[in-house]
Amino acid sequence: MGRLVQARAADTEVLAGVLASAYRGDPVWSWLMPRDREWRLRVLFRGHLTQQIPYGRVWTDDSRQVACVWAEPGAWKLPAAYLLRNARTLVRAGRWELPRLGARLLALERRHPGAPPHWYVEFLGTRAEAQGTGLGAVVLGGLLERADTDGRPVFLESSNERNLGFYQRLGFVTERRLTFRSGPQMWAMWRHGQPG
C-alpha cells in the first residue's frame, strides 16, 4: 500500500507537481488563481518545498504520489526571511491576483491558533490520478502516529468541503467555518491526541 517517506531535495520537482495536481480543482485555489492555475501552483509549491524540505517538514509515500508539508509545534509561522527569499516566487505565481493571494495568506496567519502548541498540516495533496487509493491516509496517518506519541494536537485548515470526511475519518473535528471578506470559505480542524 505504501509507506511514509521523508522527502529529499531531489523530490522537489515531482512533489511540486503532485501538489499542483491535487489543488488544481480546489475551490480556494481556483478563486485565487483563475488562469494558468496548475502552472502557477507548480511555481508556488516548488518555491515552498525548496524552503521546507531541508527542515524535514515534507513527507511523501514511496511512489511519490502524495505530498504533505507538516510543521512541528512552534514552527508553523513563516519568518520574514522566508517571505523575502520567496518574494520573486510569490510575484511570479500570484501575478494579477497577488493582492488577493497575499490577503488570504495573511488572513489565515492571523486566525491561526497560538495555543495549545500543535503540529500543523500546512498542505496535504495526492496526485489527482491517485486520489481515493488510500495513499493520503498512509502518509498523514504515519505523521499522526508521531503526534500521538508526542501527545500534542494537530491543526489544519481545509480549503475543500469535499475533504472534510477524509479528515474526520482520521480523527479530526471541525472547530469552525472560516469566512472571509471575499472568496470561498475554509474549515479549521483539530485532532486531539489519540491514546497510544
Side-chain angles (χ1 to χ4, degrees):
M1 171 55 110
R3 63 187 176 88
L4 181 66
V5 176
Q6 193 167 32
R8 299 166 305 171
D11 297 319
T12 301
E13 192 62 37
V14 169
L15 296 183
V18 166
L19 289 172
S21 171
Y23 284 95
R24 72 179 167 219
D26 179 89
V28 172
W29 287 104
S30 294
W31 172 73
L32 288 171
M33 297 178 173
R35 296 177 295 275
D36 304 321
R37 185 175 318 115
E38 191 160 353
W39 177 84
R40 293 166 69 189
L41 285 171
R42 188 182 287 268
V43 168
L44 186 72
F45 286 126
R46 182 186 305 121
H48 191 56
L49 293 171
T50 297
Q51 299 291 322
Q52 298 299 322
I53 285 174
Y55 292 100
R57 295 183 183 135
V58 182
W59 296 83
T60 186
D61 64 296
D62 47 13
S63 63
R64 306 306 191 266
Q65 297 297 306
V66 177
C68 183
V69 182
W70 166 265
E72 62 272 17
W76 60 267
K77 189 171 185 174
L78 297 175
Y82 169 90
L83 296 173
L84 290 173
R85 280 194 304 271
N86 273 349
R88 185 179 297 175
T89 298
L90 287 170
V91 169
R92 192 167 167 227
R95 291 176 142 175
W96 309 278
E97 289 83 26
L98 184 61
R100 182 188 297 181
L101 176 62
R104 177 58 67 102
L105 294 175
L106 287 173
L108 281 175
E109 186 168 302
R110 279 195 298 273
R111 295 177 188 203
H112 194 110
H118 56 275
W119 296 90
Y120 177 48
V121 181
E122 184 179 10
F123 294 105
L124 174 68
T126 301
R127 188 179 298 282
E129 300 78 26
Q131 289 175 5
T133 62
L135 286 172
V138 168
V139 171
L140 185 54
L143 294 168
L144 294 175
E145 286 177 18
R146 293 169 183 227
D148 290 344
T149 300
D150 177 59
R152 289 187 256 197
V154 182
F155 177 75
L156 63 83
E157 299 106 351
S158 178
S159 55
N160 193 333
E161 188 171 14
R162 191 181 56 154
N163 296 332
L164 298 182
F166 168 79
Y167 291 122
Q168 289 164 352
R169 286 189 295 278
L170 289 171
F172 285 89
V173 174
T174 303
E175 178 197 62
R176 69 187 189 279
R177 189 178 304 223
L178 301 171
T179 57
F180 303 88
R181 256 184 232 158
S182 61
Q185 63 190 354
M186 296 174 72
W187 291 266
M189 304 185 81
W190 281 97
R191 181 183 184 273
H192 296 282
Q194 306 295 315

